Amino acid sequence: NAGVMQNPRHLVRRRGQEARLRCSPMKGHSHVYWYRQLPEEGLKFMVYLQKENIIDESGMPKERFSAEFPKEGPSILRIQQVVRGDSAAYFCASSLSGQGQTQYFGPGTRLLVL
Amino acid sequence: EDKVVQSPLSLVVHEGDTVTLNCSYEVTNFRSLLWYKQEKKAPTFLFMLTSSGIEKKSGRLSSILDKKELFSILNITATQTGDSAIYLCAVNFGNEKLTFGTGTRLTIIP
């Protein structure tokens, strides 16, 4: 039973480029969450999605960041015009149905902006 | 503001020792508290606690929640070098997003 999958595991971008991070939830899970971990800091919630719906994006920066979870395919976290401060580990988690269910995490994507 | 505080920030012990990690929270609403172990990659789920006073146990690890005093502890007995990791505490404040503490970095010396 495959766990949460994320790719790429490492991503290097120059300032001004776009970063696309992908997350495939555990089999049977329809709820996806994105978290960001800055160096020497704890994980911070970014966005919560169900298929084709954004449920809570209160942790997303207002500009340059967007997320989607289409009917088919993985969830995508997109960062446009990256800046050095975007360098971080981005983790995706999934749960069976929300409603307090356990969130299981993927291995993360480490984004480095040069 | 919902807040989760873990202590100590770091801990170094010898193999075979018992350790207790602490997690306290300030609450506006509470649904559950979760413990994760983070090595170099994915935070690995350990326990989810929703009720006070009921100990959850898995091998050498155990955890308990006190909803009156707003804290939880994670115990690890007979520690091994493989227990070296960052232990994360997270609280679901009823809105499905987890609020994490900064973690406790545990180092086990052989």
Side-chain angles (χ1 to χ4, degrees):
Chain A
N1 185 17
V4 178
M5 296 169 65
Q6 290 187 248
N7 68 81
R9 295 291 304 279
H10 299 274
L11 183 61
V12 180
R13 286 286 178 265
R14 296 193 181 279
R15 280 179 297 170
Q17 291 184 320
E18 178 179 289
R20 280 185 176 237
L21 288 61
R22 293 175 198 79
C23 168
S24 296
M26 285 179 73
K27 189 176 179 181
H29 286 194
S30 59
H31 295 242
V32 164
Y33 314 79
W34 286 93
Y35 293 83
R36 177 165 67 173
Q37 187 173 37
L38 293 168
E40 304 303 318
E41 291 189 19
L43 281 86
K44 297 278 195 290
F45 169 81
M46 298 182 75
V47 62
Y48 164 32
L49 310 105
Q50 288 177 264
K51 288 279 187 183
E52 300 185 281
N53 282 308
I54 295 174
I55 306 302
D56 183 341
E57 57 182 346
S58 58
M60 287 276 269
K62 294 287 185 283
E63 297 176 349
R64 302 187 297 108
F65 285 71
S66 62
E68 62 176 8
F69 188 16
K71 189 176 179 182
E72 301 291 337
S75 175
I76 307 283
L77 179 67
R78 183 180 175 209
I79 311 172
Q80 294 178 288
Q81 299 175 321
V82 296
V83 301
R84 288 220 174 104
D86 297 333
S87 295
Y90 292 83
F91 289 94
C92 168
S94 72
S95 72
L96 191 61
S97 64
Q99 297 176 23
Q101 293 282 323
T102 300
Q103 294 180 25
Y104 295 91
F105 281 80
T109 294
R110 275 140 184 92
L111 172 65
L112 176 62
V113 180
L114 301 177
Chain B
E1 183 185 329
D2 301 329
K3 195 174 174 183
V4 179
V5 178
Q6 291 187 247
S7 64
L9 290 181
S10 67
L11 188 57
V12 181
V13 299
H14 287 96
E15 203 168 19
D17 288 351
T18 293
V19 297
T20 298
L21 310 182
N22 303 290
C23 176
S24 63
Y25 56 94
E26 295 175 13
V27 63
T28 51
N29 195 9
F30 177 88
R31 187 160 203 165
S32 59
L33 184 145
L34 298 91
W35 285 96
Y36 292 87
K37 177 183 181 182
Q38 186 177 24
E39 295 172 271
K40 291 193 175 173
K41 36 190 182 176
T44 306
F45 171 73
L46 296 175
F47 299 111
M48 183 166 75
L49 304 155
T50 55
S51 301
S52 258
I54 298 174
E55 185 182 50
K56 292 223 173 175
K57 201 167 169 62
S58 176
R60 296 175 295 102
L61 278 67
S62 63
S63 183
I64 198 160
L65 174 67
D66 185 328
K67 288 168 75 173
K68 185 179 175 187
E69 300 297 329
L70 309 184
F71 78 91
S72 173
I73 59 171
L74 176 69
N75 275 324
I76 309 175
T77 58
T79 51
Q80 302 171 357
T81 53
D83 296 326
S84 294
I86 297 173
Y87 289 83
L88 301 171
C89 172
V91 176
N92 181 333
F93 288 111
N95 50 15
E96 300 313 312
K97 57 188 182 187
L98 297 180
T99 299
F100 280 85
T102 50
T104 293
R105 183 182 295 272
L106 176 64
T107 303
I108 310 297
I109 300 172

